[in-house]
Amino acid sequence: CCLGVPIRVIRGNADTKSYTGNIFIYDGLYRVKSYWFQVGVSGYNVCKFRLERLTGQKKIESASVHWGNNIGKSLPKNQRAQDRPGFIMADLSLGQEQIPICVVNTFDESSPSWAPPPLPLKPAKAPNSNKVTMEGVKWPEEEDDKKRAFVYTTAPIYTEGVPHPPPAA
């Protein structure tokens, strides 16, 4: 919240009818308005965030999401994600998650809800360390690709000189 840098939010929902057991949807760009630490159910400190969706984004069409309830139907367990209408990519996480995060867009370009496919990039590994870093990330050169690109990471990336949240008490 100190820097005002927008973040991309992907929501997940458990769905026993899905072949992965989960459904994920891109929810848009948000800013962190505030954050705080709280003791979680397992007794560990958890950092929580209050997010605010950025204005000017297209409305999220929740009815088009296949949650496995009366709004839509989930994928049958024997259907591959690649065979799904609107399939874009098999794994948004680029192999960084145990379960692949499939990306599907069933809107065509004439829809106000259409968005170009995301372009995930892997973070780089710092030399002689297991820490991830933005240095060394190979960003695309094409302007349209730059607009779609983001770094998918499962670990925090800290930049020198940028303030971090204080440690949990």
Side-chain angles (χ1 to χ4, degrees):
C1 65
C2 306
L3 301 175
V5 176
I7 60 168
R8 295 181 189 273
V9 173
I10 299 172
R11 290 186 290 132
N13 191 47
D15 185 348
T16 57
K17 295 178 184 175
S18 167
Y19 82 101
T20 65
N22 293 290
I23 301 289
F24 296 93
I25 184 170
Y26 174 69
D27 201 24
L29 291 171
Y30 288 75
R31 288 203 198 283
V32 177
K33 295 306 285 179
S34 62
Y35 62 91
W36 62 96
F37 290 95
Q38 187 173 323
V39 177
V41 294
S42 299
Y44 294 99
N45 286 323
V46 176
C47 187
K48 295 201 172 188
F49 301 89
R50 180 162 318 282
L51 302 176
E52 181 179 83
R53 193 163 197 269
L54 297 181
T55 58
Q57 296 184 78
K58 295 174 183 166
K59 181 182 169 196
I60 299 168
E61 301 288 342
S62 296
S64 70
V65 180
H66 300 277
W67 293 117
N69 57 25
N70 60 359
I71 294 174
K73 292 187 177 174
S74 184
L75 284 177
K77 287 188 185 273
N78 61 353
Q79 183 179 3
R80 297 178 328 140
Q82 293 87 333
D83 298 333
R84 202 172 162 182
F87 172 79
I88 293 176
M89 71 178 61
D91 187 9
L92 183 70
S93 77
L94 302 173
Q96 296 179 83
E97 301 287 356
Q98 290 181 351
I99 298 175
I101 302 171
C102 178
V103 179
V104 176
N105 184 358
T106 57
F107 298 106
D108 63 22
E109 290 188 42
S110 65
S111 169
S113 298
W114 181 84
L119 182 59
L121 306 170
K122 272 190 177 178
K125 295 279 185 188
N128 305 320
S129 170
N130 283 336
K131 290 184 179 180
V132 292
T133 177
M134 294 296 284
E135 294 174 26
V137 171
K138 293 184 173 98
W139 292 93
E141 293 184 20
E142 295 289 325
E143 203 56 41
D144 285 343
D145 289 343
K146 285 181 184 177
K147 292 176 185 175
R148 301 181 304 121
F150 68 98
V151 174
Y152 187 99
T153 180
T154 59
I157 297 176
Y158 295 114
T159 304
E160 293 295 322
V162 176
H164 309 359

